Amino acid sequence: ISASNGDLQLFSDGIVAKSGAFYTLSNGDGLQGNNFASQSSIIVPKPGNSRVYYIFTLDMYIPPVFTDGVRYSIAEFPESGPVSIISKNNLLFNENAQKISATQHENGRDFWIVTHGYGDNNGANFYSYLLNDSTLNTNAVVTSIGHPHNGNTSSNNGAGSMKISPDGSKLALVIPDDGIVE
């Protein structure tokens, strides 16, 4: 994520969070994402607080080895001292596809973070989380629509990318093995 002037603020591969100066954040290693996931992380600013960022990380869902799910950590830029992770690896849900995107709420301030489930239990669902200036609502708005993301452990249907249009009106994703673009 960059500042409004384009300066790099934070980045992550899902395992390590680094500052724009390429230093590992204090407590910024050991994130439970997966750098082999199609979309391993996304960083979203906390509304109303330019010093706090949420880092969402994704593991691939391939049990029994990869089951860490979608998690979030909170990074803080203090007035003085190093940028640090102040809350780490909080679970949102598992049995997830490797897809995540975010869009600004229609109020122009808050954000929706959108992920997708994977497998027989959750593969037909989108999970949307509201981030506002007071909290991240960890109770997802669950929407069942579109082609299910499922398959056996050798299937690549959990992979692929998801993107929300800049105005928030459209969402697109791919389901690789099934050859589907929605």
Side-chain angles (χ1 to χ4, degrees):
I1 192 164
S2 299
S4 59
N5 66 0
D7 289 343
L8 182 62
Q9 296 292 300
L10 294 172
F11 64 97
S12 177
D13 64 356
I15 298 172
V16 176
K18 296 195 176 203
S19 71
F22 294 85
Y23 294 108
T24 300
L25 275 56
S26 175
N27 197 27
D29 57 353
L31 300 180
Q32 290 180 289
N34 190 314
N35 60 346
F36 290 107
S38 301
Q39 293 179 293
S40 62
S41 65
I42 192 168
I43 301 171
V44 180
K46 182 178 181 181
N49 189 335
S50 62
R51 297 180 182 271
V52 176
Y53 293 84
Y54 280 72
I55 303 170
F56 296 89
T57 58
L58 287 85
D59 193 9
M60 299 184 291
Y61 183 70
I62 307 172
V65 179
F66 300 108
T67 59
D68 283 334
V70 178
R71 295 180 180 262
Y72 70 94
S73 299
I74 302 172
E76 181 178 49
F77 284 74
E79 288 189 33
S80 64
V83 180
S84 62
I85 299 291
I86 59 171
S87 180
K88 188 173 177 179
N89 291 325
N90 303 285
L91 180 65
L92 285 175
F93 83 101
N94 58 17
E95 296 186 42
N96 59 286
Q98 302 167 41
K99 300 170 174 89
I100 190 166
S101 196
T103 189
Q104 201 158 37
H105 188 283
E106 68 183 354
N107 67 15
R109 179 180 173 92
D110 302 334
F111 289 92
W112 286 103
I113 296 82
V114 181
T115 63
H116 202 285
Y118 183 75
D120 293 336
N121 296 325
N122 297 322
N125 301 327
F126 286 91
Y127 295 83
S128 301
Y129 299 90
L130 181 62
L131 175 62
N132 61 34
D133 57 359
S134 61
T135 190
L136 171 66
N137 186 342
T138 58
N139 295 313
V141 174
V142 180
T143 306
S144 297
I145 190 170
H147 187 80
H149 293 51
N150 55 25
N152 61 35
T153 56
S154 65
S155 170
N156 202 24
N157 281 339
S161 296
M162 178 171 63
K163 178 72 175 149
I164 300 172
S165 64
D167 68 0
S169 67
K170 295 175 180 60
L171 181 146
L173 59 76
V174 298
I175 306 168
D177 275 3
D178 289 348
I180 293 174
V181 176
E182 292 184 320

